[in-house]
PDB file of all heavy atoms in Angstrom:
ATOM      1  N   ALA A1090       0.766  -1.185   0.010  1.00 77.00           N
ATOM      2  CA  ALA A1090      -0.001  -0.008   0.044  1.00 77.00           C
ATOM      3  C   ALA A1090       0.856   1.180  -0.006  1.00 77.00           C
ATOM      4  O   ALA A1090       1.900   1.224   0.637  1.00 77.00           O
ATOM      5  CB  ALA A1090      -0.905   0.041   1.291  1.00 77.00           C
ATOM      6  N   PRO A1091       0.481   2.245  -0.825  1.00 84.00           N
ATOM      7  CA  PRO A1091       1.449   3.508  -0.849  1.00 84.00           C
ATOM      8  C   PRO A1091       1.247   4.278   0.505  1.00 84.00           C
ATOM      9  O   PRO A1091       0.388   4.133   1.259  1.00 84.00           O
ATOM     10  CB  PRO A1091       0.751   4.270  -2.051  1.00 84.00           C
ATOM     11  CG  PRO A1091      -0.685   3.783  -2.051  1.00 84.00           C
ATOM     12  CD  PRO A1091      -0.625   2.421  -1.651  1.00 84.00           C
ATOM     13  N   GLU A1092       2.273   4.973   0.704  1.00 88.00           N
ATOM     14  CA  GLU A1092       2.381   5.777   1.923  1.00 88.00           C
ATOM     15  C   GLU A1092       1.484   7.202   1.555  1.00 88.00           C
ATOM     16  O   GLU A1092       1.469   7.675   0.581  1.00 88.00           O
ATOM     17  CB  GLU A1092       3.827   6.265   2.163  1.00 88.00           C
ATOM     18  CG  GLU A1092       3.951   7.361   3.210  1.00 88.00           C
ATOM     19  CD  GLU A1092       5.405   7.950   3.393  1.00 88.00           C
ATOM     20  OE1 GLU A1092       6.235   7.270   2.657  1.00 88.00           O
ATOM     21  OE2 GLU A1092       5.665   9.003   4.015  1.00 88.00           O
ATOM     22  N   SER A1093       0.717   7.600   2.544  1.00 91.00           N
ATOM     23  CA  SER A1093      -0.109   8.677   2.358  1.00 91.00           C
ATOM     24  C   SER A1093      -0.196   9.641   3.526  1.00 91.00           C
ATOM     25  O   SER A1093      -0.305   9.285   4.628  1.00 91.00           O
ATOM     26  CB  SER A1093      -1.604   8.175   2.179  1.00 91.00           C
ATOM     27  OG  SER A1093      -2.469   9.189   1.798  1.00 91.00           O
ATOM     28  N   LEU A1094      -0.048  10.998   3.230  1.00 94.00           N
ATOM     29  CA  LEU A1094      -0.095  12.073   4.132  1.00 94.00           C
ATOM     30  C   LEU A1094      -1.142  12.981   3.638  1.00 94.00           C
ATOM     31  O   LEU A1094      -1.393  13.172   2.511  1.00 94.00           O
ATOM     32  CB  LEU A1094       1.185  12.743   4.246  1.00 94.00           C
ATOM     33  CG  LEU A1094       2.399  11.870   4.692  1.00 94.00           C
ATOM     34  CD1 LEU A1094       3.622  12.739   4.696  1.00 94.00           C
ATOM     35  CD2 LEU A1094       2.158  11.215   6.101  1.00 94.00           C
ATOM     36  N   LYS A1095      -1.902  13.693   4.631  1.00 95.00           N
ATOM     37  CA  LYS A1095      -2.973  14.524   4.317  1.00 95.00           C
ATOM     38  C   LYS A1095      -2.743  15.912   4.979  1.00 95.00           C
ATOM     39  O   LYS A1095      -2.142  16.059   6.012  1.00 95.00           O
ATOM     40  CB  LYS A1095      -4.340  13.970   4.667  1.00 95.00           C
ATOM     41  CG  LYS A1095      -4.864  12.901   3.698  1.00 95.00           C
ATOM     42  CD  LYS A1095      -6.193  12.274   4.199  1.00 95.00           C
ATOM     43  CE  LYS A1095      -7.290  13.370   4.162  1.00 95.00           C
ATOM     44  NZ  LYS A1095      -8.523  12.755   4.633  1.00 95.00           N
ATOM     45  N   SER A1096      -3.480  16.901   4.462  1.00 94.00           N
ATOM     46  CA  SER A1096      -3.516  18.218   5.094  1.00 94.00           C
ATOM     47  C   SER A1096      -4.749  18.940   4.498  1.00 94.00           C
ATOM     48  O   SER A1096      -5.356  18.599   3.576  1.00 94.00           O
ATOM     49  CB  SER A1096      -2.301  19.054   4.927  1.00 94.00           C
ATOM     50  OG  SER A1096      -2.404  20.290   5.451  1.00 94.00           O
ATOM     51  N   THR A1097      -5.182  20.086   5.218  1.00 93.00           N
ATOM     52  CA  THR A1097      -6.089  20.904   4.573  1.00 93.00           C
ATOM     53  C   THR A1097      -5.439  22.349   4.245  1.00 93.00           C
ATOM     54  O   THR A1097      -6.231  23.316   4.009  1.00 93.00           O
ATOM     55  CB  THR A1097      -7.382  21.150   5.403  1.00 93.00           C
ATOM     56  OG1 THR A1097      -6.890  21.601   6.845  1.00 93.00           O
ATOM     57  CG2 THR A1097      -8.044  19.851   5.681  1.00 93.00           C
ATOM     58  N   LYS A1098      -4.152  22.427   4.584  1.00 94.00           N
ATOM     59  CA  LYS A1098      -3.466  23.805   4.402  1.00 94.00           C
ATOM     60  C   LYS A1098      -2.689  23.832   3.060  1.00 94.00           C
ATOM     61  O   LYS A1098      -1.615  23.154   3.011  1.00 94.00           O
ATOM     62  CB  LYS A1098      -2.626  24.016   5.563  1.00 94.00           C
ATOM     63  CG  LYS A1098      -3.265  24.191   6.832  1.00 94.00           C
ATOM     64  CD  LYS A1098      -2.425  24.511   7.965  1.00 94.00           C
ATOM     65  CE  LYS A1098      -3.157  24.717   9.262  1.00 94.00           C
ATOM     66  NZ  LYS A1098      -2.241  25.034  10.499  1.00 94.00           N
ATOM     67  N   ALA A1099      -3.335  24.455   2.180  1.00 96.00           N
ATOM     68  CA  ALA A1099      -2.616  24.455   0.762  1.00 96.00           C
ATOM     69  C   ALA A1099      -2.934  25.715   0.117  1.00 96.00           C
ATOM     70  O   ALA A1099      -4.015  26.382   0.386  1.00 96.00           O
ATOM     71  CB  ALA A1099      -3.052  23.300  -0.023  1.00 96.00           C
ATOM     72  N   ARG A1100      -2.154  26.172  -0.872  1.00 96.00           N
ATOM     73  CA  ARG A1100      -2.441  27.370  -1.538  1.00 96.00           C
ATOM     74  C   ARG A1100      -2.080  27.192  -3.000  1.00 96.00           C
ATOM     75  O   ARG A1100      -1.023  26.552  -3.249  1.00 96.00           O
ATOM     76  CB  ARG A1100      -1.487  28.504  -1.010  1.00 96.00           C
ATOM     77  CG  ARG A1100      -1.619  29.909  -1.622  1.00 96.00           C
ATOM     78  CD  ARG A1100      -0.949  30.906  -0.778  1.00 96.00           C
ATOM     79  NE  ARG A1100      -1.015  32.218  -1.320  1.00 96.00           N
ATOM     80  CZ  ARG A1100       0.037  32.809  -2.218  1.00 96.00           C
ATOM     81  NH1 ARG A1100       1.161  32.030  -2.434  1.00 96.00           N
ATOM     82  NH2 ARG A1100      -0.107  33.978  -2.584  1.00 96.00           N
ATOM     83  N   LEU A1101      -2.864  27.630  -3.902  1.00 96.00           N
ATOM     84  CA  LEU A1101      -2.744  27.520  -5.308  1.00 96.00           C
ATOM     85  C   LEU A1101      -2.638  28.938  -5.838  1.00 96.00           C
ATOM     86  O   LEU A1101      -3.551  29.799  -5.559  1.00 96.00           O
ATOM     87  CB  LEU A1101      -3.850  26.851  -6.031  1.00 96.00           C
ATOM     88  CG  LEU A1101      -4.111  25.418  -5.587  1.00 96.00           C
ATOM     89  CD1 LEU A1101      -5.355  24.738  -6.262  1.00 96.00           C
ATOM     90  CD2 LEU A1101      -2.804  24.458  -5.911  1.00 96.00           C
ATOM     91  N   GLN A1102      -1.651  29.187  -6.743  1.00 95.00           N
ATOM     92  CA  GLN A1102      -1.567  30.524  -7.272  1.00 95.00           C
ATOM     93  C   GLN A1102      -1.066  30.419  -8.628  1.00 95.00           C
ATOM     94  O   GLN A1102       0.080  29.971  -8.921  1.00 95.00           O
ATOM     95  CB  GLN A1102      -0.606  31.402  -6.431  1.00 95.00           C
ATOM     96  CG  GLN A1102      -0.572  32.906  -6.894  1.00 95.00           C
ATOM     97  CD  GLN A1102       0.143  33.806  -6.058  1.00 95.00           C
ATOM     98  OE1 GLN A1102       0.961  33.312  -5.176  1.00 95.00           O
ATOM     99  NE2 GLN A1102       0.023  35.119  -5.972  1.00 95.00           N
ATOM    100  N   PHE A1103      -1.751  31.071  -9.638  1.00 96.00           N
ATOM    101  CA  PHE A1103      -1.321  31.093 -10.999  1.00 96.00           C
ATOM    102  C   PHE A1103      -1.301  32.492 -11.404  1.00 96.00           C
ATOM    103  O   PHE A1103      -2.130  33.372 -11.032  1.00 96.00           O
ATOM    104  CB  PHE A1103      -2.223  30.284 -11.945  1.00 96.00           C
ATOM    105  CG  PHE A1103      -1.893  28.752 -11.881  1.00 96.00           C
ATOM    106  CD1 PHE A1103      -2.450  28.114 -10.892  1.00 96.00           C
ATOM    107  CD2 PHE A1103      -1.080  28.151 -12.642  1.00 96.00           C
ATOM    108  CE1 PHE A1103      -2.203  26.689 -10.667  1.00 96.00           C
ATOM    109  CE2 PHE A1103      -0.814  26.705 -12.567  1.00 96.00           C
ATOM    110  CZ  PHE A1103      -1.485  25.990 -11.603  1.00 96.00           C
ATOM    111  N   SER A1104      -0.426  32.949 -12.263  1.00 93.00           N
ATOM    112  CA  SER A1104      -0.250  34.230 -12.732  1.00 93.00           C
ATOM    113  C   SER A1104      -0.577  34.402 -14.207  1.00 93.00           C
ATOM    114  O   SER A1104      -0.103  33.635 -15.001  1.00 93.00           O
ATOM    115  CB  SER A1104       1.093  34.767 -12.397  1.00 93.00           C
ATOM    116  OG  SER A1104       1.355  34.600 -11.094  1.00 93.00           O
ATOM    117  N   ALA A1105      -1.294  35.385 -14.630  1.00 88.00           N
ATOM    118  CA  ALA A1105      -1.682  35.641 -15.976  1.00 88.00           C
ATOM    119  C   ALA A1105      -0.505  36.406 -16.699  1.00 88.00           C
ATOM    120  O   ALA A1105      -0.630  37.667 -16.669  1.00 88.00           O
ATOM    121  CB  ALA A1105      -2.982  36.344 -16.106  1.00 88.00           C
ATOM    122  N   CYS A1106       0.679  35.790 -16.987  1.00 89.00           N
ATOM    123  CA  CYS A1106       1.768  36.475 -17.681  1.00 89.00           C
ATOM    124  C   CYS A1106       1.386  36.943 -18.950  1.00 89.00           C
ATOM    125  O   CYS A1106       0.445  36.496 -19.630  1.00 89.00           O
ATOM    126  CB  CYS A1106       2.942  35.604 -17.689  1.00 89.00           C
ATOM    127  SG  CYS A1106       3.370  34.908 -16.040  1.00 89.00           S
ATOM    128  N   ASP A1107       2.196  37.847 -19.517  1.00 88.00           N
ATOM    129  CA  ASP A1107       1.962  38.412 -20.849  1.00 88.00           C
ATOM    130  C   ASP A1107       2.694  37.554 -21.917  1.00 88.00           C
ATOM    131  O   ASP A1107       3.357  36.583 -21.522  1.00 88.00           O
ATOM    132  CB  ASP A1107       2.555  39.879 -21.046  1.00 88.00           C
ATOM    133  CG  ASP A1107       4.006  40.060 -20.660  1.00 88.00           C
ATOM    134  OD1 ASP A1107       4.723  39.003 -20.854  1.00 88.00           O
ATOM    135  OD2 ASP A1107       4.402  41.062 -20.123  1.00 88.00           O
ATOM    136  N   TRP A1108       2.282  37.713 -23.152  1.00 84.00           N
ATOM    137  CA  TRP A1108       2.778  36.886 -24.209  1.00 84.00           C
ATOM    138  C   TRP A1108       4.318  36.900 -24.388  1.00 84.00           C
ATOM    139  O   TRP A1108       4.925  36.035 -24.959  1.00 84.00           O
ATOM    140  CB  TRP A1108       2.104  37.133 -25.473  1.00 84.00           C
ATOM    141  CG  TRP A1108       2.466  38.422 -26.282  1.00 84.00           C
ATOM    142  CD1 TRP A1108       1.847  39.540 -26.142  1.00 84.00           C
ATOM    143  CD2 TRP A1108       3.483  38.554 -27.200  1.00 84.00           C
ATOM    144  NE1 TRP A1108       2.406  40.479 -26.873  1.00 84.00           N
ATOM    145  CE2 TRP A1108       3.476  39.911 -27.618  1.00 84.00           C
ATOM    146  CE3 TRP A1108       4.460  37.660 -27.721  1.00 84.00           C
ATOM    147  CZ2 TRP A1108       4.357  40.459 -28.584  1.00 84.00           C
ATOM    148  CZ3 TRP A1108       5.292  38.244 -28.723  1.00 84.00           C
ATOM    149  CH2 TRP A1108       5.231  39.499 -29.034  1.00 84.00           C
ATOM    150  N   GLN A1109       4.977  38.087 -24.103  1.00 90.00           N
ATOM    151  CA  GLN A1109       6.379  38.154 -24.213  1.00 90.00           C
ATOM    152  C   GLN A1109       7.165  37.185 -23.282  1.00 90.00           C
ATOM    153  O   GLN A1109       8.044  36.535 -23.576  1.00 90.00           O
ATOM    154  CB  GLN A1109       6.896  39.555 -23.950  1.00 90.00           C
ATOM    155  CG  GLN A1109       6.557  40.527 -25.089  1.00 90.00           C
ATOM    156  CD  GLN A1109       5.367  41.314 -24.664  1.00 90.00           C
ATOM    157  OE1 GLN A1109       4.424  40.882 -23.863  1.00 90.00           O
ATOM    158  NE2 GLN A1109       5.189  42.486 -25.129  1.00 90.00           N
ATOM    159  N   SER A1110       6.532  37.095 -22.114  1.00 93.00           N
ATOM    160  CA  SER A1110       7.252  36.155 -21.130  1.00 93.00           C
ATOM    161  C   SER A1110       6.781  34.687 -21.264  1.00 93.00           C
ATOM    162  O   SER A1110       7.516  33.731 -20.962  1.00 93.00           O
ATOM    163  CB  SER A1110       6.912  36.552 -19.728  1.00 93.00           C
ATOM    164  OG  SER A1110       5.604  36.722 -19.420  1.00 93.00           O
ATOM    165  N   LEU A1111       5.610  34.515 -21.681  1.00 92.00           N
ATOM    166  CA  LEU A1111       4.962  33.116 -21.967  1.00 92.00           C
ATOM    167  C   LEU A1111       4.399  33.049 -23.380  1.00 92.00           C
ATOM    168  O   LEU A1111       3.232  33.072 -23.485  1.00 92.00           O
ATOM    169  CB  LEU A1111       3.836  32.717 -20.922  1.00 92.00           C
ATOM    170  CG  LEU A1111       4.299  32.461 -19.419  1.00 92.00           C
ATOM    171  CD1 LEU A1111       3.126  32.114 -18.658  1.00 92.00           C
ATOM    172  CD2 LEU A1111       5.371  31.249 -19.439  1.00 92.00           C
ATOM    173  N   PRO A1112       5.213  33.067 -24.341  1.00 91.00           N
ATOM    174  CA  PRO A1112       4.646  33.178 -25.707  1.00 91.00           C
ATOM    175  C   PRO A1112       3.685  32.227 -26.225  1.00 91.00           C
ATOM    176  O   PRO A1112       2.803  32.472 -26.963  1.00 91.00           O
ATOM    177  CB  PRO A1112       5.979  33.363 -26.568  1.00 91.00           C
ATOM    178  CG  PRO A1112       7.104  32.689 -25.794  1.00 91.00           C
ATOM    179  CD  PRO A1112       6.725  33.003 -24.407  1.00 91.00           C
ATOM    180  N   THR A1113       3.862  30.976 -25.649  1.00 88.00           N
ATOM    181  CA  THR A1113       2.960  29.899 -26.217  1.00 88.00           C
ATOM    182  C   THR A1113       1.975  29.473 -25.025  1.00 88.00           C
ATOM    183  O   THR A1113       1.130  28.592 -25.279  1.00 88.00           O
ATOM    184  CB  THR A1113       3.753  28.717 -26.675  1.00 88.00           C
ATOM    185  OG1 THR A1113       4.482  28.188 -25.565  1.00 88.00           O
ATOM    186  CG2 THR A1113       4.661  29.098 -27.807  1.00 88.00           C
ATOM    187  N   LEU A1114       2.153  29.997 -23.744  1.00 91.00           N
ATOM    188  CA  LEU A1114       1.473  29.459 -22.700  1.00 91.00           C
ATOM    189  C   LEU A1114       0.600  30.559 -22.131  1.00 91.00           C
ATOM    190  O   LEU A1114      -0.130  30.220 -21.119  1.00 91.00           O
ATOM    191  CB  LEU A1114       2.233  28.875 -21.655  1.00 91.00           C
ATOM    192  CG  LEU A1114       3.054  27.663 -22.087  1.00 91.00           C
ATOM    193  CD1 LEU A1114       3.902  27.067 -20.892  1.00 91.00           C
ATOM    194  CD2 LEU A1114       2.127  26.515 -22.396  1.00 91.00           C
ATOM    195  N   HIS A1115       0.735  31.891 -22.472  1.00 89.00           N
ATOM    196  CA  HIS A1115       0.092  32.998 -21.707  1.00 89.00           C
ATOM    197  C   HIS A1115      -1.470  32.753 -21.692  1.00 89.00           C
ATOM    198  O   HIS A1115      -2.172  33.217 -20.607  1.00 89.00           O
ATOM    199  CB  HIS A1115       0.492  34.308 -22.329  1.00 89.00           C
ATOM    200  CG  HIS A1115      -0.034  34.500 -23.651  1.00 89.00           C
ATOM    201  ND1 HIS A1115       0.490  34.110 -24.748  1.00 89.00           N
ATOM    202  CD2 HIS A1115      -1.115  35.246 -24.069  1.00 89.00           C
ATOM    203  CE1 HIS A1115      -0.154  34.486 -25.744  1.00 89.00           C
ATOM    204  NE2 HIS A1115      -1.179  35.197 -25.352  1.00 89.00           N
ATOM    205  N   HIS A1116      -2.118  32.300 -22.681  1.00 88.00           N
ATOM    206  CA  HIS A1116      -3.501  32.083 -22.733  1.00 88.00           C
ATOM    207  C   HIS A1116      -3.962  31.115 -21.660  1.00 88.00           C
ATOM    208  O   HIS A1116      -5.033  31.263 -21.075  1.00 88.00           O
ATOM    209  CB  HIS A1116      -4.018  31.812 -24.103  1.00 88.00           C
ATOM    210  CG  HIS A1116      -3.579  30.541 -24.645  1.00 88.00           C
ATOM    211  ND1 HIS A1116      -2.170  30.146 -24.734  1.00 88.00           N
ATOM    212  CD2 HIS A1116      -4.128  29.409 -25.000  1.00 88.00           C
ATOM    213  CE1 HIS A1116      -1.993  28.980 -25.266  1.00 88.00           C
ATOM    214  NE2 HIS A1116      -3.199  28.471 -25.454  1.00 88.00           N
ATOM    215  N   ILE A1117      -3.190  30.087 -21.413  1.00 91.00           N
ATOM    216  CA  ILE A1117      -3.535  29.011 -20.514  1.00 91.00           C
ATOM    217  C   ILE A1117      -3.256  29.657 -19.200  1.00 91.00           C
ATOM    218  O   ILE A1117      -4.026  29.329 -18.209  1.00 91.00           O
ATOM    219  CB  ILE A1117      -2.647  27.756 -20.856  1.00 91.00           C
ATOM    220  CG1 ILE A1117      -3.056  27.192 -22.169  1.00 91.00           C
ATOM    221  CG2 ILE A1117      -2.812  26.688 -19.674  1.00 91.00           C
ATOM    222  CD1 ILE A1117      -2.197  25.972 -22.637  1.00 91.00           C
ATOM    223  N   ALA A1118      -2.142  30.218 -18.877  1.00 93.00           N
ATOM    224  CA  ALA A1118      -1.866  30.777 -17.556  1.00 93.00           C
ATOM    225  C   ALA A1118      -2.972  31.734 -17.219  1.00 93.00           C
ATOM    226  O   ALA A1118      -3.381  31.769 -15.898  1.00 93.00           O
ATOM    227  CB  ALA A1118      -0.492  31.535 -17.589  1.00 93.00           C
ATOM    228  N   LYS A1119      -3.454  32.579 -18.085  1.00 91.00           N
ATOM    229  CA  LYS A1119      -4.631  33.404 -17.726  1.00 91.00           C
ATOM    230  C   LYS A1119      -5.815  32.643 -17.336  1.00 91.00           C
ATOM    231  O   LYS A1119      -6.553  33.025 -16.282  1.00 91.00           O
ATOM    232  CB  LYS A1119      -4.909  34.323 -18.995  1.00 91.00           C
ATOM    233  CG  LYS A1119      -6.045  35.335 -18.774  1.00 91.00           C
ATOM    234  CD  LYS A1119      -6.246  36.086 -20.034  1.00 91.00           C
ATOM    235  CE  LYS A1119      -7.333  37.182 -19.973  1.00 91.00           C
ATOM    236  NZ  LYS A1119      -8.766  36.458 -19.698  1.00 91.00           N
ATOM    237  N   ASP A1120      -6.214  31.703 -18.051  1.00 92.00           N
ATOM    238  CA  ASP A1120      -7.360  30.858 -17.645  1.00 92.00           C
ATOM    239  C   ASP A1120      -7.194  30.215 -16.322  1.00 92.00           C
ATOM    240  O   ASP A1120      -8.091  30.130 -15.497  1.00 92.00           O
ATOM    241  CB  ASP A1120      -7.750  29.824 -18.805  1.00 92.00           C
ATOM    242  CG  ASP A1120      -8.402  30.535 -19.840  1.00 92.00           C
ATOM    243  OD1 ASP A1120      -8.586  31.775 -20.034  1.00 92.00           O
ATOM    244  OD2 ASP A1120      -8.829  29.741 -20.905  1.00 92.00           O
ATOM    245  N   LEU A1121      -6.065  29.663 -16.031  1.00 94.00           N
ATOM    246  CA  LEU A1121      -5.735  29.018 -14.812  1.00 94.00           C
ATOM    247  C   LEU A1121      -5.911  30.024 -13.685  1.00 94.00           C
ATOM    248  O   LEU A1121      -6.457  29.730 -12.515  1.00 94.00           O
ATOM    249  CB  LEU A1121      -4.420  28.407 -14.733  1.00 94.00           C
ATOM    250  CG  LEU A1121      -4.220  27.132 -15.686  1.00 94.00           C
ATOM    251  CD1 LEU A1121      -2.739  26.680 -15.658  1.00 94.00           C
ATOM    252  CD2 LEU A1121      -5.085  25.982 -15.159  1.00 94.00           C
ATOM    253  N   ALA A1122      -5.401  31.255 -13.984  1.00 94.00           N
ATOM    254  CA  ALA A1122      -5.356  32.296 -12.930  1.00 94.00           C
ATOM    255  C   ALA A1122      -6.901  32.679 -12.565  1.00 94.00           C
ATOM    256  O   ALA A1122      -7.135  33.244 -11.510  1.00 94.00           O
ATOM    257  CB  ALA A1122      -4.636  33.475 -13.378  1.00 94.00           C
ATOM    258  N   GLU A1123      -7.868  32.538 -13.444  1.00 92.00           N
ATOM    259  CA  GLU A1123      -9.107  33.024 -13.409  1.00 92.00           C
ATOM    260  C   GLU A1123     -10.094  31.897 -12.767  1.00 92.00           C
ATOM    261  O   GLU A1123     -11.175  32.150 -12.458  1.00 92.00           O
ATOM    262  CB  GLU A1123      -9.745  33.437 -14.716  1.00 92.00           C
ATOM    263  CG  GLU A1123      -8.990  34.720 -15.047  1.00 92.00           C
ATOM    264  CD  GLU A1123      -9.574  35.187 -16.489  1.00 92.00           C
ATOM    265  OE1 GLU A1123     -10.320  34.536 -17.116  1.00 92.00           O
ATOM    266  OE2 GLU A1123      -9.098  36.244 -16.988  1.00 92.00           O
ATOM    267  N   ILE A1124      -9.592  30.673 -12.544  1.00 94.00           N
ATOM    268  CA  ILE A1124     -10.411  29.703 -11.985  1.00 94.00           C
ATOM    269  C   ILE A1124     -10.812  30.080 -10.630  1.00 94.00           C
ATOM    270  O   ILE A1124      -9.906  30.230  -9.658  1.00 94.00           O
ATOM    271  CB  ILE A1124      -9.859  28.287 -12.040  1.00 94.00           C
ATOM    272  CG1 ILE A1124      -9.498  27.834 -13.448  1.00 94.00           C
ATOM    273  CG2 ILE A1124     -10.678  27.264 -11.255  1.00 94.00           C
ATOM    274  CD1 ILE A1124      -8.720  26.435 -13.535  1.00 94.00           C
ATOM    275  N   PRO A1125     -12.086  30.229 -10.227  1.00 93.00           N
ATOM    276  CA  PRO A1125     -12.500  30.564  -8.845  1.00 93.00           C
ATOM    277  C   PRO A1125     -12.097  29.445  -7.864  1.00 93.00           C
ATOM    278  O   PRO A1125     -12.313  28.270  -8.216  1.00 93.00           O
ATOM    279  CB  PRO A1125     -13.965  30.828  -8.932  1.00 93.00           C
ATOM    280  CG  PRO A1125     -14.351  30.763 -10.427  1.00 93.00           C
ATOM    281  CD  PRO A1125     -13.226  30.018 -11.102  1.00 93.00           C
ATOM    282  N   ILE A1126     -11.687  29.773  -6.710  1.00 94.00           N
ATOM    283  CA  ILE A1126     -11.436  28.665  -5.656  1.00 94.00           C
ATOM    284  C   ILE A1126     -12.344  29.045  -4.459  1.00 94.00           C
ATOM    285  O   ILE A1126     -12.169  30.128  -3.854  1.00 94.00           O
ATOM    286  CB  ILE A1126      -9.963  28.654  -5.157  1.00 94.00           C
ATOM    287  CG1 ILE A1126      -9.188  28.183  -6.384  1.00 94.00           C
ATOM    288  CG2 ILE A1126      -9.786  27.724  -4.027  1.00 94.00           C
ATOM    289  CD1 ILE A1126      -7.630  28.075  -5.992  1.00 94.00           C
ATOM    290  N   TYR A1127     -13.361  28.295  -4.266  1.00 93.00           N
ATOM    291  CA  TYR A1127     -14.310  28.519  -3.129  1.00 93.00           C
ATOM    292  C   TYR A1127     -13.870  27.810  -1.836  1.00 93.00           C
ATOM    293  O   TYR A1127     -14.495  28.038  -0.874  1.00 93.00           O
ATOM    294  CB  TYR A1127     -15.680  28.075  -3.526  1.00 93.00           C
ATOM    295  CG  TYR A1127     -16.211  28.771  -4.713  1.00 93.00           C
ATOM    296  CD1 TYR A1127     -16.780  28.066  -5.865  1.00 93.00           C
ATOM    297  CD2 TYR A1127     -16.303  30.204  -4.713  1.00 93.00           C
ATOM    298  CE1 TYR A1127     -17.264  28.854  -6.935  1.00 93.00           C
ATOM    299  CE2 TYR A1127     -16.721  30.874  -5.830  1.00 93.00           C
ATOM    300  CZ  TYR A1127     -17.284  30.163  -6.930  1.00 93.00           C
ATOM    301  OH  TYR A1127     -17.762  30.915  -7.965  1.00 93.00           O
ATOM    302  N   GLY A1128     -12.862  27.015  -1.846  1.00 93.00           N
ATOM    303  CA  GLY A1128     -12.328  26.499  -0.642  1.00 93.00           C
ATOM    304  C   GLY A1128     -11.394  25.266  -0.939  1.00 93.00           C
ATOM    305  O   GLY A1128     -11.775  24.523  -1.980  1.00 93.00           O
ATOM    306  N   ILE A1129     -10.405  25.038  -0.125  1.00 95.00           N
ATOM    307  CA  ILE A1129      -9.615  23.820  -0.288  1.00 95.00           C
ATOM    308  C   ILE A1129     -10.227  22.773   0.493  1.00 95.00           C
ATOM    309  O   ILE A1129     -10.540  22.807   1.682  1.00 95.00           O
ATOM    310  CB  ILE A1129      -8.205  24.096   0.337  1.00 95.00           C
ATOM    311  CG1 ILE A1129      -7.503  25.286  -0.460  1.00 95.00           C
ATOM    312  CG2 ILE A1129      -7.287  22.851   0.239  1.00 95.00           C
ATOM    313  CD1 ILE A1129      -7.164  25.053  -1.955  1.00 95.00           C
ATOM    314  N   GLU A1130     -10.429  21.585  -0.262  1.00 94.00           N
ATOM    315  CA  GLU A1130     -11.165  20.492   0.411  1.00 94.00           C
ATOM    316  C   GLU A1130     -10.033  19.551   1.042  1.00 94.00           C
ATOM    317  O   GLU A1130     -10.139  19.074   2.147  1.00 94.00           O
ATOM    318  CB  GLU A1130     -11.795  19.587  -0.547  1.00 94.00           C
ATOM    319  CG  GLU A1130     -13.170  20.249  -1.125  1.00 94.00           C
ATOM    320  CD  GLU A1130     -14.124  20.195  -0.068  1.00 94.00           C
ATOM    321  OE1 GLU A1130     -14.477  19.162   0.517  1.00 94.00           O
ATOM    322  OE2 GLU A1130     -14.535  21.353   0.313  1.00 94.00           O
ATOM    323  N   GLU A1131      -8.860  19.337   0.333  1.00 95.00           N
ATOM    324  CA  GLU A1131      -7.841  18.399   0.837  1.00 95.00           C
ATOM    325  C   GLU A1131      -6.583  18.549   0.014  1.00 95.00           C
ATOM    326  O   GLU A1131      -6.595  18.753  -1.081  1.00 95.00           O
ATOM    327  CB  GLU A1131      -8.468  16.968   0.717  1.00 95.00           C
ATOM    328  CG  GLU A1131      -7.463  15.942   1.152  1.00 95.00           C
ATOM    329  CD  GLU A1131      -7.950  14.521   0.918  1.00 95.00           C
ATOM    330  OE1 GLU A1131      -7.944  14.043  -0.223  1.00 95.00           O
ATOM    331  OE2 GLU A1131      -8.481  13.922   1.888  1.00 95.00           O
TER     332      GLU A1131
END
């Protein structure tokens, strides 16, 4: 059985960078940054 640890203390942060710094990923970073977080479950 795998080893397992849990917590409820976590933080997710994504930044909507511009196209010069993320020329092929900026549109994805922007969408990730806009996902609402209503609470950390686990």
